[in-house]
């Protein structure tokens, strides 16, 4: 462990904001402990991959930069809870049991293979959410491609706000000589010899004109870019894979490199967007209770990183209640956000120039339901065996 003293003390109320960012500071950090004195964090004890090769001065500089830029400028607030379920019940982390039973398999950090009955449970949860969205809002449904153009993602502002989460798609340079050089490096000049794969990829790739989408709603804004949506007030829903690099991953279904999301997007007038978001939240809370799950929904903010206005943006989100998170317990003192409900004002309407002819850019809002997380929270409450699940869920999954 290497102790790094902070040049500015972090109030205890902001300790979590610091902890969320530690692993993004450097790939060298493999573990850390916040050192507290009274009601402040005074230092961070870090473990690195190779202590002898660690540049302590550089690591200290980076840590202190994040503290000053991203943490200390944030205001200390207690999350406002806007809903809490009446349901109560014991929860326990079932991930070890999923591994033991062969229902889940770890294929790499943040990469989990899933089998039955989790797959059927996820499909059931998604079908229920999809049905209530289609019935309540008469939503248009789309299936989007996995890839998204880098230029489209740039219009969302994601590069500037969340550079730490980006996942890029690279490919070999489109040239015969490039292919040949790649193969020579890969094979070490001999078909019987393994060359340096890392060097081959590093030296002969770099065309990153596409990215892996961090959420489905960006596809919707791209779809209607530079033109009008189908109607003055429009609702779109989709299901797909989202991709985010989150540096270090807990051994569970909480944070994955790729995860399945059911997205709902509202486009139209501010009254329409806000009313629709509120109604969807009501439906989501009722659905949560129908599953026998306890939880709460609270005002939240995004993890803006190394953005000059990060603290102001995070505070504005909370102050204006632009983002809510539905959080469900996994075990004592540990929970996870399974859904978020967001209001963007005209940000995406302006960025993508989405407008009804002759009118101002549309207002937008969205909701995203993480299906792996929702299924995981359900299993932590009811157990892995379908025989223990609520009867209406068991019947639907057994069909």
């Amino acid at each position: 462990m290497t102790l790094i003293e902070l040049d500015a003390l972090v109030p205890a109320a902001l300790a979590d904001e610091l902890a969320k960012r530690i692993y993004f500071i450097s790939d060298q950090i493999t573990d850390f402990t916040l050192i507290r004195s009274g009601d402040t964090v005074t230092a961070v004890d870090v473990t690195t991959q190779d202590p002898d090769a660690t540049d302590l001065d550089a690591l200290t500089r980076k840590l202190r930069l994040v503290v000053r830029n991203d943490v200390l400028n944030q205001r200390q607030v207690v999350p406002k809870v806007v809903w809490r379920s009446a349901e109560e019940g014991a929860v326990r982390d079932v991930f070890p049991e999923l591994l033991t039973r062969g229902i889940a398999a770890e294929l790499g950090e943040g990469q989990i293979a899933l089998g039955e009955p989790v797959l059927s449970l996820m499909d059931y949860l998604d079908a229920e959410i999809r049905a209530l969205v289609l019935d309540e809002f008469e939503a248009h449904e789309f299936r989007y491609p996995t890839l998204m153009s880098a230029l489209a993602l740039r219009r969302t502002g994601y590069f500037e706000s969340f550079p730490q989460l980006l996942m890029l798609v690279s490919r070999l340079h489109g040239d015969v000589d490039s292919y040949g050089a790649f193969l020579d490096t890969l094979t070490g000049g001999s078909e019987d010899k393994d060359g340096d794969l890392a060097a081959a990829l590093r030296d002969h790739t770099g065309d990153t004109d596409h990215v892996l989408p961090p959420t489905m709603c960006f596809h919707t804004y791209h779809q209607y870019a530079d033109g009008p949506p189908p109607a003055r007030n429009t609702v779109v829903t989709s299901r797909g894979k989202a991709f985010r690099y989150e540096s270090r991953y807990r051994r569970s279904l909480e944070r994955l490199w790729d995860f399945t999301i059911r997205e709902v997007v509202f486009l139209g007038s501010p009254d329409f967007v806000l009313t629709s978001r509120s109604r969807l939240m009501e439906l989501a809370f009722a659905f949560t209770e129908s599953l026998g799950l306890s939880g709460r929904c609270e005002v939240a903010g995004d993890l803006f990183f190394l953005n000059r206005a990060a603290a102001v943006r995070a505070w504005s989100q909370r102050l204006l209640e632009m983002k809510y998170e539905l959080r469900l317990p996994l075990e004592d003192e540990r929970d996870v956000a399974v859904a978020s409900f967001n209001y963007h004002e005209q940000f995406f309407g302006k960025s993508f120039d989405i407008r009804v002819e002759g009118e101002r850019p549309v207002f937008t809002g969205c909701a995203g339901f993480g299906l792996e997380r929702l299924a995981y929270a359900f299993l932590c409450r009811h157990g892995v065996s379908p025989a223990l699940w609520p009867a209406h869920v068991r019947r639907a999954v057994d069909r």
Side-chain angles (χ1 to χ4, degrees), residues 31-52:
D31 199 4
F32 71 91
T33 301
L34 300 183
I35 306 301
R36 302 169 187 258
S37 178
D39 59 355
T40 61
V41 177
T42 61
V44 181
D45 219 352
V46 300
T47 301
T48 57
Q49 293 178 4
D50 186 353
D52 294 333

Side-chain angles (χ1 to χ4, degrees), residues 90-101 103-104 118 251-253 330-331 334 375-385 388-389:
V91 291
R92 64 180 181 87
D93 187 352
V94 298
F95 189 66
E97 185 177 351
L98 292 175
L99 294 176
T100 300
R101 291 194 179 195
I103 297 171
V118 180
R251 294 180 66 249
S252 74
L253 300 180
L330 302 177
E331 60 182 355
R334 181 167 140 240
Y376 186 41
F378 179 92
L379 295 172
C380 289
R381 170 65 181 86
H382 294 296
V384 173
S385 173
L388 303 174
W389 297 355

Side-chain angles (χ1 to χ4, degrees), residues 114-136:
L114 290 173
E116 294 291 1
V118 180
L119 296 182
S120 292
L121 176 61
M122 287 173 58
D123 286 342
Y124 165 75
L125 296 171
D126 177 58
E128 292 294 298
I129 297 169
R130 173 183 177 272
L132 68 84
V133 170
L134 293 178
D135 292 345
E136 182 74 20

Side-chain angles (χ1 to χ4, degrees), residues 183-184 186-195:
L183 293 174
D184 287 341
L186 185 65
T187 62
S190 170
E191 293 184 359
D192 299 325
K193 182 179 179 181
D194 289 332

